[in-house]
């Protein structure tokens, strides 16, 4: 899955009840504004979604300043569940799937889970 998505031809998006859909990148209408249900977002979700709307694709670390230095990790996972954030990497999906398990883990393990390239 990683190499399939790394080719950049497809991306995934979460749908209802935790299902994923895959879409061809060539079908993205780059001239259209993203459809975001702003009224349904929390303040934190709105800040991150606005930053992504302005900046486009971003690494998680580059979004730290959006929430006053706090990690955007939980907020991005929430936006994934709502189908607002999608990606061409499968790492966020793994983090989303293991979210509850990671929340219960010791702090050191939680910090390491925020490092996408790190093997656990």
């Amino acid at each position: 899955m990683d190499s399939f998505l790394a080719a950049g031809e497809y991306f995934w998006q979460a749908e209802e009840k935790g299902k994923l859909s895959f879409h061809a990148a060539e079908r993205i209408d780059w001239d259209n504004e993203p459809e975001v249900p702003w009224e349904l977002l929390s303040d934190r979700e709105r800040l991150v979604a606005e930053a992504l709307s302005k900046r486009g694709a971003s690494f998680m670390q580059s979004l730290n300043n959006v929430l006053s230095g706090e990690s955007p990790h939980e907020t991005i996972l929430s936006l994934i569940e709502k189908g607002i954030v999608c990606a061409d990497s499968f790492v966020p999906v793994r983090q989303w799937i293991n979210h509850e398990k990671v929340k219960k883990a010791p702090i050191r393990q939680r910090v390491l889970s925020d490092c996408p390239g790190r093997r656990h």
Side-chain angles (χ1 to χ4, degrees):
M1 187 59 67
D2 292 314
S3 57
F4 171 74
L5 290 170
E9 295 178 22
Y10 292 89
F11 66 95
W12 59 262
Q13 184 172 20
E15 295 185 353
E16 290 182 40
K17 299 181 182 178
K19 294 182 181 180
L20 294 179
S21 61
F22 293 86
H23 308 275
E26 68 186 25
R27 300 193 71 192
I28 297 173
D29 184 353
W30 294 105
D31 295 325
N32 257 352
E33 288 291 318
E35 293 181 29
V36 177
W38 299 105
E39 67 282 356
L40 301 177
L41 302 182
S42 70
D43 290 340
R44 295 170 61 88
E45 290 170 335
R46 191 174 299 109
L47 287 170
V48 172
E50 286 172 353
L52 289 170
S53 290
K54 289 178 187 170
R55 299 177 187 183
S58 301
F59 288 103
M60 193 174 316
Q61 296 84 343
S62 68
L63 297 171
N64 282 343
N65 64 339
V66 172
L67 299 176
S68 302
E70 293 179 42
S71 171
H73 186 260
E74 295 293 321
T75 305
I76 289 174
L77 292 178
S78 177
L79 291 170
I80 286 171
E81 284 181 6
K82 293 179 178 182
I84 295 167
V85 170
C86 56
D88 60 357
S89 166
F90 213 63
V91 171
V93 174
R94 286 190 195 92
Q95 291 175 338
W96 178 44
I97 290 169
N98 294 320
H99 178 64
E100 290 303 316
K101 186 171 110 179
V102 170
K103 275 174 53 173
K104 296 173 186 173
I107 188 73
R108 177 173 161 74
Q109 188 174 347
R110 282 184 279 164
V111 170
L112 293 176
S113 74
D114 279 348
C115 302
R118 184 164 177 104
R119 295 192 182 263
H120 308 294

